[in-house]
Amino acid sequence: MPGQRKKAGRGSRSTTCIGRKMKRHSNDSSAIIQENSLQLFHNILKSATLPDGWYFKCTGDSTSEDEIQCFQVARQFVVAAPLIISRILIIKRNLNWMVYVNNHLIAPSNDVLRAFPSTLNTDVLLSLINSLHISNVCSCNHDDSFIALARQKKGTFLSVDGEVVAVLQESFCFVVNGEMKSATIRHISCDILLKKEKVTCPSCTNYRNTLRALVSKSIKSSSSPSISSHANIRFLRSPQRRAHLAILQKAIRNKNCQLKRLRVRLNALLESNGSICVDKELSSDIERVIENHTVIEKDEFKRIFWEQQVAASKAMKNGVRWHPLFIRWCLNIMLTSSKTYEIIRESGFILLPSKRTLQDYTHWIKLQPGFNADVFEHLKKEANVGGLSDWQKYIVLAFDEMKIREDLVFDKSTGEVTGFIDYGEGSLDQRFVVLREHCVKQRFDHRKLATHMLTLMVRGIFFKCDFPLAHFPTQGVSSESLIYIVWRAIRMLALIGLQVISVVADGAPNNRKFFRMHEIRKFQSSGITYKAPNVTKPGSFVYFMADPPHLIKTVRNAWYNSQANGSRSLVNKGKEIKWSHLVELAEKTTSDTGLYIGKKLTREHLKLTSYSRMNVRLAVQVLSSSVANGFKTLRDLNLMAQDTEATEEFCRIFDKFFDLFNTRSVTECIRKRKPDLMPYYRVSDPRLKWLKETFLLYLSEWENSVKTNDAIPKPMKKCCMLPQQTIEGIKICVYSLIEIMQELLSNKDTKFVLSDRFNQDTLEIFSDSKGHEAIVTTTHLFCNSYKMPKPSLYRSPLHLVGAVISQGKESTL
């Protein structure tokens, strides 16, 4: 120690000694004060008896001192424990002073320090040291349960606004019941230094109740792990099932109590306010106005709706004859959401037919696997093929497979057992199945059960029609079977007057093989098979399309795998395209201000799960121009490294690619301020040129740069590019879209074309509505879920906005 330590007495004797030393030095050193005040303070401290545990030292040389530090060393009860300095008094050359307790600066307005002047003199020096010695350090909240909770929260407690309100102090020296402690939770408004009679400050005392509540909540959550409200009870263990049911029962009781209170309150309001009563004359006048209402024209649907409501309000429960157009309007609602239709009907605000009545209009056809002549006749009336011009008869044929549960069901209406593989009566595959059974002499119960359901859907290009055409129970359809099924569908659609111009499927291996089986070299481009001659219309082609939303998902998934421990490492022209760039963008834009640059990126975007990998919305929001603009903005502000240029170009390129395949209306481009979402109006559209000359060139240069880069080992070259299947699917889409637009827009009657019609979004929605839970959906349930309105519903000349059909020369979605 640079200073000397003098032992002092205990209690009042120590105080008396301090007083005598102060008086003696104040009388004998007036001359020295003027010459060197710090030297005088040094002499006083050197000759005075300091309280127990206090020391001092001077900084500077022997003739000139910069400051004096008086400090207290905390007593240690653990053998070989390090010394801890708990209080420090620093006296500057100008005699200004400051106090630190446990490395925290104490404000001069503190209750202990408030009585001392801002500039020290010899009269108060030892008194200040004595006051610091007898004062207490706030013990804050030092309970073991609080400390354990703080360590779980990484040492900080946040308020509702996200601000830090309390912190864990691991080296905060204080005494509790004569025992030295060092760990506590200190409120940010803690006074730290307290008078002798106080133990904790008001801020820490008030925050103690909050800590108790947090500890109680933590104990409850750890003892009873939370179960999602959407969890399927059948897959829970018995203790979890009982706990989950108890929670649900409690929620039901709470809702019933709340409902009861609302009913009592409503009845009280009705009794107090009453209802509006009118005399018979006024009532008859109102009824006459309703019956003779002639403001709405007779040919409008609003008039039909009004008349149906008036008739239903007067008729008996089962005595209403509903108008076909009103039935169709109700079917549109029910087929969109059955639950919504029930809620509207039960409210009584609008009088609607029952679901049983609507069922007579939807289940009039008994659908069987394979192609059904009644379905084609129904499609002909649905699309009003006789009223369409030749250029309006082009359609898209989409197909997809979904997983179903193996099951056998006896159908009492037909006397057949459903659930086996069935490609339709008379199909080539079905004949092979029968032949194999006869040759091997297999029994009936040895036939294979279906595990998948192949569904075909027709999509109109110039009229709004998304029509499920046929379904086939399979065990994973082969590409050879697809050849027969697809081309038979094309021929049968041509017989009712509809021309298939495009076939859309996802990137499954059997679908890619189906495309390649049509390989004719003179119809290929860069070795890619993207079209085949249309046998039903000589001189024309059927173009293949890999579903663009599926492609954008595979591109995003390849980028996600380009990270540490990932299966890919995308490199374009020597520059890396890393997923960590996106994570850094999300962190940079929210860490300081909480504001977002570009698209709001959440954990759902950054940490993919098996479900989010299949979510097109998340993929499109990541591969967007707003994310690309975020990279550019942070680089310009020098907040991000310059190696994100390739990642920015990657996002911008595929954002435009998806927009060109996703034009859905004539107004979306204006609403979203994106010209790429405009419909296609002419053959010489510059966007088609961009696809062929810029986009495909980008993929080609990327591929060449990887192949010619000798620094990349040959086995790793495939991992530095997008998957070959994805590149092949992209090229198929680009070549097909260009030639489809050229063929459709070459007709002078065609005003515009929407590229959104060349995907299988509606087929995905249809499949999800039938089997979002594969464990529940079977072949029998899938067949019974088809709902097709009767042909009698199409006799009305009226057309609904947003109904199944809306046609005309410029009619689109």
Side-chain angles (χ1 to χ4, degrees):
M1 280 295 170
Q4 296 179 359
R5 178 185 176 188
K6 299 292 183 180
K7 291 186 178 181
R10 304 270 180 191
S12 61
R13 183 181 176 186
S14 175
T15 308
T16 306
C17 292
I18 292 173
R20 287 202 298 267
K21 298 295 182 180
M22 287 175 53
K23 185 175 182 180
R24 186 176 63 199
H25 284 282
S26 62
N27 294 332
D28 299 340
S29 305
S30 58
I32 301 176
I33 292 175
Q34 298 175 358
E35 181 180 353
N36 191 342
S37 300
L38 276 184
Q39 184 64 35
L40 175 61
F41 279 26
H42 178 269
N43 294 334
I44 294 174
L45 294 171
K46 188 175 182 181
S47 58
T49 302
L50 298 179
D52 188 24
W54 279 87
Y55 302 86
F56 75 94
K57 70 174 182 178
C58 301
T59 59
D61 53 24
S62 59
T63 60
S64 176
E65 298 175 350
D66 294 334
E67 64 179 30
I68 296 176
Q69 296 181 0
C70 301
F71 50 89
Q72 182 189 32
V73 177
R75 289 174 293 178
Q76 300 294 301
F77 297 99
V78 181
V79 179
L83 298 177
I84 300 176
I85 298 175
S86 59
R87 298 170 174 86
I88 301 178
L89 169 63
I90 300 176
I91 306 172
K92 298 292 185 180
R93 178 180 290 276
N94 58 0
L95 300 185
N96 290 338
W97 55 277
M98 59 186 69
V99 175
Y100 286 87
V101 176
N102 292 326
N103 293 327
H104 293 281
L105 178 63
I106 307 302
S109 59
N110 187 276
D111 293 342
V112 178
L113 308 179
R114 187 181 303 165
F116 296 95
S118 60
T119 302
L120 282 182
N121 53 58
T122 55
D123 295 334
V124 298
L125 172 62
L126 296 179
S127 178
L128 174 59
I129 295 175
N130 189 54
S131 297
L132 293 175
H133 178 69
I134 65 175
S135 62
N136 288 331
V137 177
C138 179
S139 62
C140 304
N141 296 284
H142 57 275
D143 297 28
D144 294 339
S145 58
F146 297 164
I147 303 299
L149 177 64
R151 286 171 180 156
Q152 291 177 7
K153 293 180 173 291
K154 299 183 179 179
T156 57
F157 291 87
L158 304 180
S159 67
V160 179
D161 301 328
E163 299 179 356
V164 177
V165 294
V167 293
L168 172 64
Q169 297 283 335
E170 296 279 6
S171 57
F172 196 83
C173 298
F174 57 95
V175 178
V176 178
N177 297 327
E179 182 182 355
M180 180 70 66
K181 293 184 176 292
S182 61
T184 187
I185 298 173
R186 185 181 66 84
H187 195 274
I188 58 172
S189 302
C190 178
D191 295 333
I192 300 178
L193 195 63
L194 306 174
K195 288 185 177 181
K196 185 178 180 180
E197 62 273 8
K198 293 184 178 180
V199 179
T200 57
C201 67
S203 299
C204 293
T205 303
N206 295 334
Y207 194 65
R208 189 174 183 82
N209 294 330
T210 303
L211 290 175
R212 286 195 185 111
L214 292 174
V215 170
S216 176
K217 183 178 179 181
S218 176
I219 293 173
K220 288 180 180 179
S221 61
S222 60
S223 61
S224 57
S226 60
I227 303 173
S228 172
S229 59
H230 302 288
N232 197 323
I233 299 179
R234 292 176 297 172
F235 303 114
L236 299 178
R237 295 189 295 272
S238 295
Q240 292 179 328
R241 186 182 297 120
R242 286 193 294 268
H244 187 53
L245 290 176
I247 294 173
L248 293 179
Q249 288 173 357
K250 184 178 179 181
I252 292 172
R253 286 196 300 269
N254 293 338
K255 293 294 183 183
N256 289 335
C257 293
Q258 184 180 3
L259 181 61
K260 185 177 180 180
R261 288 194 300 269
L262 291 175
R263 283 176 177 170
V264 171
R265 187 178 176 184
L266 180 60
N267 293 331
L269 290 173
L270 290 175
E271 291 176 1
S272 61
N273 298 332
S275 57
I276 301 176
C277 298
V278 295
D279 54 21
K280 292 184 178 180
E281 185 178 357
L282 180 58
S283 176
S284 60
D285 290 341
I286 293 174
E287 293 178 358
R288 195 181 308 111
V289 170
I290 293 175
E291 293 175 357
N292 301 327
H293 189 69
T294 56
V295 176
I296 306 174
E297 296 184 5
K298 191 173 182 179
D299 291 338
E300 291 188 20
F301 175 72
K302 289 184 288 186
R303 178 64 177 269
I304 296 176
F305 178 85
W306 180 272
E307 292 174 350
Q308 288 287 289
Q309 294 300 301
V310 173
S313 63
K314 294 181 177 182
M316 299 294 292
K317 184 178 179 181
N318 298 324
V320 184
R321 295 184 62 86
W322 301 100
H323 192 281
L325 194 56
F326 189 79
I327 289 288
R328 186 170 180 180
W329 179 76
C330 294
L331 286 174
N332 284 331
I333 299 176
M334 193 186 72
L335 297 181
T336 303
S337 175
S338 177
K339 189 66 177 177
T340 302
Y341 183 82
E342 267 312 297
I343 292 173
I344 296 174
R345 184 174 180 273
E346 290 176 358
S347 68
F349 181 73
I350 300 176
L351 300 177
L352 301 176
S354 65
K355 293 178 71 173
R356 179 63 185 86
T357 302
L358 296 181
Q359 188 176 351
D360 295 336
Y361 293 88
T362 56
H363 290 76
W364 63 283
I365 294 179
K366 183 62 178 178
L367 293 177
Q368 299 293 334
F371 296 107
N372 193 321
D374 292 335
V375 174
F376 282 87
E377 187 65 25
H378 183 68
L379 172 61
K380 185 176 181 180
K381 295 176 180 179
E382 172 88 5
N384 191 20
V385 177
L388 297 177
S389 304
D390 290 341
W391 64 274
Q392 292 177 308
K393 295 179 180 180
Y394 286 107
I395 59 172
V396 175
L397 180 64
F399 63 87
D400 190 21
E401 263 190 320
M402 61 168 287
K403 184 76 171 65
I404 60 173
R405 180 167 61 92
E406 298 181 13
D407 193 21
L408 289 178
V409 177
F410 176 74
D411 191 347
K412 61 182 181 180
S413 62
T414 60
E416 298 179 353
V417 177
T418 60
F420 294 109
I421 296 176
D422 191 351
Y423 290 96
E425 186 179 354
S427 67
L428 187 62
D429 279 36
Q430 195 66 20
R431 292 174 184 174
F432 283 147
V433 170
V434 175
L435 178 61
R436 185 166 56 249
E437 288 180 355
H438 284 293
C439 294
V440 186
K441 296 183 179 180
Q442 291 181 328
R443 294 184 178 180
F444 178 76
D445 56 355
H446 286 173
R447 291 173 59 187
K448 292 183 179 180
L449 299 180
T451 59
H452 293 75
M453 186 67 71
L454 174 68
T455 308
L456 275 66
M457 176 172 281
V458 170
R459 303 198 66 189
I461 299 177
F462 299 107
F463 59 95
K464 186 175 180 180
C465 178
D466 298 314
F467 190 91
L469 186 66
H471 65 279
F472 301 87
T474 69
Q475 272 197 346
V477 65
S478 63
S479 54
E480 292 79 8
S481 300
L482 284 175
I483 288 280
Y484 169 79
I485 292 172
V486 172
W487 282 105
R488 187 180 179 191
I490 293 174
R491 287 193 298 269
M492 296 181 72
L493 288 169
L495 291 176
I496 64 173
L498 296 176
Q499 290 295 328
V500 176
I501 194 174
S502 177
V503 174
V504 181
D506 57 23
N510 55 337
N511 297 338
R512 294 197 303 270
K513 185 178 178 181
F514 164 74
F515 293 159
R516 288 194 293 268
M517 289 177 70
H518 295 83
E519 180 179 354
I520 301 177
R521 293 192 177 275
K522 67 177 182 178
F523 297 141
Q524 287 184 335
S525 181
S526 302
I528 301 296
T529 302
Y530 65 95
K531 64 180 179 180
N534 190 346
V535 296
T536 65
K537 188 178 180 181
S540 62
F541 294 92
V542 173
Y543 298 93
F544 305 127
M545 291 282 283
D547 187 38
H550 277 78
L551 292 176
I552 209 70
K553 285 189 296 187
T554 57
V555 171
R556 189 276 314 272
N557 294 341
W559 184 20
Y560 178 75
N561 292 329
S562 182
Q563 56 178 323
N565 301 324
S567 59
R568 294 194 172 271
S569 179
L570 302 181
V571 178
N572 187 5
K573 299 178 183 178
K575 297 181 180 179
E576 289 185 309
I577 303 174
K578 298 190 296 185
W579 187 259
S580 59
H581 292 161
L582 184 69
V583 177
E584 184 182 0
L585 174 66
E587 293 175 351
K588 290 281 187 183
T589 55
T590 58
S591 58
D592 297 330
T593 62
L595 302 177
Y596 294 89
I597 298 179
K599 185 68 188 174
K600 180 178 179 180
L601 298 175
T602 63
R603 179 176 175 83
E604 194 178 17
H605 294 87
L606 303 178
K607 189 66 177 177
L608 300 184
T609 62
S610 57
Y611 170 75
S612 57
R613 283 177 179 270
M614 301 304 295
N615 194 315
V616 180
R617 175 182 60 84
L618 297 178
V620 172
Q621 290 175 349
V622 165
L623 292 169
S624 62
S625 58
S626 58
V627 171
N629 293 336
F631 286 126
K632 186 176 186 305
T633 301
L634 292 184
R635 282 204 319 272
D636 294 342
L637 297 174
N638 294 324
L639 297 177
M640 184 174 279
Q642 299 297 317
D643 61 348
T644 59
E645 293 180 352
T647 308
E648 176 197 342
E649 183 185 15
F650 175 77
C651 293
R652 207 177 295 279
I653 284 280
F654 279 98
D655 172 69
K656 184 168 184 175
F657 164 78
F658 186 73
D659 285 347
L660 298 188
F661 283 84
N662 197 41
T663 59
R664 294 181 289 187
S665 70
V666 294
T667 58
E668 187 179 17
C669 59
I670 302 172
R671 187 174 67 256
K672 293 186 176 181
R673 293 180 293 181
K674 296 189 74 172
D676 293 331
L677 293 175
M678 288 178 56
Y680 292 89
Y681 288 97
R682 59 184 186 277
V683 176
S684 60
D685 195 302
R687 292 172 294 175
L688 300 176
K689 184 178 180 181
W690 179 88
L691 281 173
K692 190 172 184 179
E693 298 181 0
T694 303
F695 180 69
L696 292 182
L697 181 63
Y698 170 80
L699 296 178
S700 178
E701 290 178 349
W702 185 352
E703 189 174 1
N704 293 334
S705 68
V706 172
K707 289 182 179 179
T708 57
N709 192 341
D710 298 333
I712 303 175
K714 189 174 181 180
M716 293 294 296
K717 289 185 182 292
K718 290 184 178 180
C719 299
C720 297
M721 302 180 293
L722 294 175
Q724 195 60 39
Q725 299 89 340
T726 302
I727 296 176
E728 180 183 356
I730 290 173
K731 290 181 178 179
I732 289 174
C733 285
V734 171
Y735 292 138
S736 296
L737 183 70
I738 293 174
E739 295 196 16
I740 287 173
M741 293 302 170
Q742 290 174 349
E743 181 173 344
L744 295 180
L745 294 172
S746 60
N747 191 305
K748 62 180 181 179
D749 292 326
T750 304
K751 303 300 180 182
F752 58 84
V753 181
L754 299 174
S755 59
D756 176 66
R757 305 305 292 172
F758 301 96
N759 61 43
Q760 53 178 185
D761 284 351
T762 54
L763 180 54
E764 293 279 353
I765 296 172
F766 175 80
S767 298
D768 288 344
S769 65
K770 299 289 175 289
H772 59 282
E773 291 187 23
I775 7 180
V776 176
T777 303
T778 62
T779 302
H780 180 74
L781 293 178
F782 189 95
C783 295
N784 286 343
S785 64
Y786 270 80
K787 300 179 180 68
M788 294 187 180
K790 283 186 177 180
S792 60
L793 297 181
Y794 302 106
R795 295 171 185 169
S796 173
L798 302 180
H799 294 282
L800 290 176
V801 177
V804 182
I805 301 295
S806 59
Q807 60 192 32
K809 282 192 174 183
E810 299 185 17
S811 64
T812 60
L813 278 176

